[in-house]
Amino acid sequence: MLVRRIAASPLRSISKAKPKKLPWRYNSRSLSTTAPVSSPLPSYHAPAMMGLMSELDSIAPRIDIRADQIRVVDGPEEFYITLTSMIRRAKRRIYLSTLYIGKTEYELVSVIRDSLARNEDLEVSILTDALRGTRESPEPSCASLVASLAAEFPDRVEIRMYHTPNLTGLRKRFIPKRINEGWGLQHIKLYGVDDELILSGANLSNDYFTNRQDRYHVFSSKRVTDYFANIHKAVCSVSFLLKPADTPTKYTLDWPSSNPAPSPLDAPKAYIKATTSLLRPFTTPPASSPRPQTDTSLYPLLVHPGTLNTELPSLQTLLRAPSLRSYTFTAGYFNPHPLITTSLLSTRAHGTILTASPLANGFYNSPGVSGLLPAAYSHLSLRFLHAAQKAKARVSLREWQRGTVGQPGGWTYHAKGLWVTLLQPPAMGSAAHHRPGDTAPPRLPSEDAVSGDVGPCATVVGSSNYTKRSYGLDLEVGALVVSSDEGLMGRWKREEEMLAERSRAVGVEELSGEGRRAGWKVRGAMWIVKILGGAL
């Protein structure tokens, strides 16, 4: 069969490709997130939270779950143990959406291979980014590593690689591999096995399993796992298909004719239009939502660059809540979107910003232009503090550090998210708010507990760094979870405090002082990236 090669890369278009029979199928009916209600339900949340959720219901779909279906994982080692244990128990499906799998993650691939060998009914779908996943080619890479799985189990393993429509033509030809990721990535991190899901900001490589701090939530819920599986499936359908090959790269990337969009390299505008239509159902809430059926609810968040975004308005809603008492906002790369910056600075609540110290930045001492990034992020932190002073905002900035990157015991910081605590009167479940016919609701936090003694009542977790780049160039998925369950609120408080323990406050004086002030090289590099259409 004749194929058309795209430039000198291993990407190509093919006229026909037999779609794999996966253990789940994209089904628009499965996007329904709330069950019909035939009788009055108890009020599980206090008035302030009910008001907040009413706003969120108009922004994103909602899935009601139980608090005991959520586990918060502390660190990279526990993340790896949890993930591999889930894979070893897999019976029906494994789906992994990640930026990349480390090129030396032989053990992880071996665990997947062993599960496939033990269970003939098991099928695996892996989605990575095409730019990051092939960066080292023709040397060993993420793509060449996972190609071995597809070669061994061709009928039960499908590998897909998403390619941004923003890097085509001369840009793709001349921008170096090390920095071309600044023009857009598949940045989703979803790790689903049967009816369990890990939602995180962590990729699948050695540092994320050993000394790179992130956040990780485990959901033991079929409805949640199915919902995000459909997102994974949809993105796979508009991505390149990796095929094993006897070539120096060990693979080719093909564009099957069965994909519901043209190749992003051939027709980027048409690709964006088709992909937007495909993903829109995941960002569209139902016309009306029943009252919450449990003490905990999850709002799936999705960002398709430039066209779809439920994360930004959800964050804005949380930060402008009238009953907001305090918040903690964290991002390893602190460069929030201007609208998020406005929200952080305009609220009257006390805020804490938690970000990476330059010595905990993943690009610390990195070769080439990327080595300027830690100083660039310090410069952006200084800008934020100047703006905070001008706005008289009640916000402090703290830098996380655990040793020094590249030295024994040194960690990097990659966590991202938001925790919010509401100040509110007693819960609606009290006698004063109890409705005739309601069943007795579970015990809810007291007024003092909700005001901070127990912990945050909502958190946002996922892949996004909340930047202009995240919303204009990258594909992101996350979740906003709200709860009135004391146990879950306590787990969120513990997570928040655990991260803060390794941080210290920094101010304008330190960031503008000798050794921290950004030089002309840093500012020049930031300007060049912006002019060329990239983003930090």
Side-chain angles (χ1 to χ4, degrees):
M1 176 169 47
L2 294 177
V3 300
R4 182 176 56 77
R5 297 279 179 177
I6 301 176
S9 74
L11 291 86
R12 62 180 181 174
S13 296
I14 61 176
S15 58
K16 293 183 180 180
K18 183 180 180 181
K20 290 184 178 294
K21 183 181 180 182
L22 294 177
W24 66 95
R25 282 283 178 256
Y26 173 85
N27 183 346
S28 60
R29 293 186 64 184
S30 69
L31 301 187
S32 175
T33 56
T34 52
V37 180
S38 57
S39 60
L41 290 167
S43 297
Y44 288 95
H45 302 291
M49 188 177 294
M50 289 297 293
L52 175 63
M53 293 179 67
S54 178
E55 285 195 63
L56 294 172
D57 283 345
S58 68
I59 296 171
R62 187 185 82 224
I63 304 175
D64 294 331
I65 58 176
R66 301 190 315 274
D68 62 7
Q69 293 177 289
I70 302 174
R71 180 161 69 92
V72 180
V73 170
D74 287 345
E77 184 177 354
E78 186 183 356
F79 167 52
Y80 183 71
I81 291 171
T82 301
L83 176 63
T84 52
S85 296
M86 288 168 55
I87 292 172
R88 289 188 176 98
R89 298 193 304 267
K91 300 298 183 185
R92 297 179 291 109
R93 64 177 174 184
I94 297 172
Y95 67 89
L96 308 175
S97 303
T98 186
L99 176 61
Y100 68 102
I101 297 176
K103 62 184 179 182
T104 59
E105 286 306 314
Y106 306 116
E107 182 177 87
L108 176 61
V109 170
S110 178
V111 172
I112 298 172
R113 179 180 289 111
D114 290 346
S115 288
L116 283 162
R118 283 195 306 270
N119 190 341
E120 294 184 354
D121 295 327
L122 178 63
E123 299 192 2
V124 176
S125 175
I126 297 176
L127 170 68
T128 76
D129 182 74
L131 297 176
R132 182 61 183 86
T134 62
R135 180 200 287 175
E136 299 90 349
S137 296
E139 300 300 319
S141 65
C142 163
S144 62
L145 177 66
V146 295
S148 64
L149 281 175
E152 191 170 350
F153 302 95
D155 296 326
R156 293 194 287 137
V157 173
E158 181 179 83
I159 313 295
R160 292 283 186 149
M161 288 195 159
Y162 170 92
H163 193 292
T164 175
N166 298 317
L167 190 70
T168 60
L170 293 178
R171 278 183 185 172
K172 182 170 179 63
R173 182 176 179 183
F174 291 110
I175 294 177
K177 284 186 176 182
R178 180 64 181 170
I179 64 172
N180 65 6
E181 298 159 28
W183 277 258
L185 295 169
Q186 190 300 108
H187 204 242
I188 299 170
K189 288 81 187 261
L190 297 172
Y191 308 122
V193 180
D194 292 340
D195 296 331
E196 288 185 291
L197 172 75
I198 301 176
L199 185 58
S200 179
N203 296 304
L204 302 180
S205 65
N206 183 65
D207 50 350
Y208 289 96
F209 300 147
T210 55
N211 59 3
R212 191 166 176 84
Q213 182 65 54
D214 215 299
R215 297 181 67 209
Y216 332 82
H217 276 45
V218 184
F219 298 90
S220 299
S221 164
K222 184 178 188 303
R223 291 179 66 201
V224 171
T225 309
D226 284 350
Y227 192 92
F228 286 100
N230 277 330
I231 295 178
H232 169 93
K233 173 69 171 155
V235 178
C236 283
S237 74
V238 288
S239 299
F240 283 92
L241 175 66
L242 182 145
K243 288 189 172 183
D246 187 16
T247 64
T249 62
K250 305 299 183 186
Y251 65 89
T252 60
L253 295 180
D254 303 339
W255 191 261
S257 60
S258 57
N259 282 8
S263 165
L265 301 182
D266 292 341
K269 290 183 179 180
Y271 174 84
I272 292 170
K273 182 177 180 180
T275 305
T276 299
S277 296
L278 182 68
L279 296 177
R280 190 178 301 280
F282 298 103
T283 64
T284 306
S288 62
S289 298
R291 290 162 54 192
Q293 304 174 57
T294 59
D295 58 11
T296 303
S297 296
L298 179 150
Y299 294 88
L301 305 177
L302 185 144
V303 178
H304 179 259
T307 62
L308 302 171
N309 191 335
T310 52
E311 182 176 88
L312 177 57
S314 296
L315 288 169
Q316 291 176 299
T317 298
L318 288 175
L319 291 169
R320 69 166 179 256
S323 55
L324 181 64
R325 177 182 185 270
S326 64
Y327 70 84
T328 297
F329 179 89
T330 189
Y333 306 121
F334 182 64
N335 180 25
H337 188 281
L339 292 177
I340 294 179
T341 297
T342 298
S343 296
L344 294 171
L345 297 180
S346 61
T347 179
R348 295 181 180 180
H350 178 269
T352 300
I353 306 298
L354 185 59
T355 189
S357 158
L359 302 182
N361 188 292
F363 294 98
Y364 180 71
N365 277 344
S366 178
V369 176
S370 58
L372 300 174
L373 288 174
Y377 285 110
S378 290
H379 180 62
L380 294 168
S381 293
L382 177 60
R383 280 188 190 173
F384 177 83
L385 288 180
H386 279 309
Q389 287 181 339
K390 185 176 181 180
K392 298 186 180 346
R394 300 171 59 206
V395 61
S396 60
L397 190 144
R398 304 181 66 88
E399 290 185 342
W400 187 97
Q401 183 180 351
R402 184 172 178 177
T404 300
V405 177
Q407 297 183 11
W411 284 45
T412 54
Y413 187 75
H414 197 247
K416 63 273 280 185
L418 175 69
W419 300 260
V420 300
T421 300
L422 299 182
L423 180 62
Q424 54 195 25
M428 287 182 70
S430 65
H433 294 95
H434 199 265
R435 298 182 180 183
D438 282 357
T439 59
R443 186 171 68 90
L444 295 175
S446 67
E447 179 178 2
D448 289 339
V450 173
S451 69
D453 290 346
V454 172
C457 59
T459 193
V460 177
V461 62
S463 64
S464 175
N465 287 305
Y466 316 115
T467 63
K468 288 180 69 175
R469 177 218 168 110
S470 298
Y471 297 156
L473 296 172
D474 293 345
L475 198 58
E476 309 277 10
V477 163
L480 190 167
V481 188
V482 298
S483 181
S484 57
D485 178 80
E486 289 186 1
L488 181 54
M489 294 165 72
R491 295 196 292 276
W492 284 336
K493 182 177 182 179
R494 178 178 175 275
E495 178 192 36
E496 185 182 20
E497 292 177 342
M498 178 196 71
L499 294 175
E501 281 176 359
R502 294 189 178 275
S503 69
R504 66 178 185 87
V506 295
V508 169
E509 185 175 352
E510 178 176 346
L511 292 177
S512 58
E514 194 66 30
R516 294 298 301 269
R517 187 172 59 249
W520 68 267
K521 287 184 179 179
V522 172
R523 300 185 190 203
M526 294 171 69
W527 179 79
I528 291 172
V529 169
K530 182 178 180 179
I531 290 298
L532 292 176
L536 297 180

